[in-house]
Amino acid sequence: MESMLSLSCERFSARKFTAEPVSQEDLEYIMKCVRMAPSACNKQPWRWLVVRSEAAKKQLQACYDREWFRTAPLYIVGLMNVKENWVRKYDNYPHGAIDVAIAAEHLCLAVLDGLLLLSVSHHLAKLQTILAELGRDERRNLGCVLS
């Protein structure tokens, strides 16, 4: 078993991907690791969209026009449920963004198991306009996009 420090030292933001698709078995392993992430009061206020279709990938690529981003074999979009996340009582602070970030880090660490290269992109302001087509409803805000 690898230590947290060694996993942290190995983690990097990829700027190039191979054309090899991510297998269903690898994707299931990654998402199981995400599912095991802790969340406040175990609310798990997230939804993860796996984007593989060329049409949906092009929509994301239009929001973040970087050559390396276009080469990713898939994207995983993390959405935060703003209506069902735990809210701290004394200051009404919603923990959904923290919970999604913790789950995204679980995803990053699962990927380090040799499955695929990874880059986290959070500069997708334009993405909010296309999330409805990818499965967003009024309860969910963009949490992260991983490729």
Side-chain angles (χ1 to χ4, degrees):
M1 178 194 293
E2 293 193 63
S3 72
M4 180 63 183
L5 180 58
S6 78
L7 288 174
S8 298
C9 290
E10 291 176 29
R11 189 242 163 290
F12 63 95
S13 293
R15 293 296 183 255
K16 186 174 184 179
F17 298 93
T18 68
E20 182 181 349
V22 177
S23 73
Q24 188 61 35
E25 180 182 1
D26 287 345
L27 185 59
E28 287 172 8
Y29 173 80
I30 292 167
M31 297 315 295
K32 183 175 183 179
C33 291
V34 170
R35 209 171 35 255
M36 299 309 296
S39 63
C41 296
N42 200 31
K43 294 275 190 179
Q44 296 186 333
W46 52 65
R47 180 173 176 202
W48 299 90
L49 304 175
V50 177
V51 179
R52 289 187 178 196
S53 80
E54 288 304 314
K57 285 169 56 177
K58 285 189 186 316
Q59 288 181 302
L60 292 174
Q61 292 161 3
C63 296
Y64 192 67
D65 189 23
R66 301 290 188 276
E67 180 61 34
W68 61 267
F69 189 70
R70 290 191 296 270
T71 64
L74 62 78
Y75 304 108
I76 300 175
V77 179
L79 302 174
M80 175 186 67
N81 188 322
V82 296
K83 301 288 186 191
E84 295 177 16
N85 67 145
W86 181 74
V87 178
R88 191 168 52 204
K89 301 240 186 285
Y90 74 87
D91 63 356
N92 291 321
Y93 182 81
H95 273 251
I98 294 169
D99 292 339
V100 170
I102 292 169
E105 187 61 20
H106 271 59
L107 191 153
C108 292
L109 294 175
V111 167
L112 281 176
D113 228 352
L115 300 176
L116 66 147
L117 299 175
L118 173 80
S119 176
V120 178
S121 175
H122 54 83
H123 306 294
L124 298 174
K126 291 189 284 184
L127 182 60
Q128 294 291 354
T129 61
I130 65 164
L131 279 175
E133 295 175 37
L134 295 175
R136 178 180 181 247
D137 59 39
E138 67 280 352
R139 296 172 299 156
R140 300 182 195 280
N141 284 344
L142 177 65
C144 61
V145 176
L146 303 125
S147 55

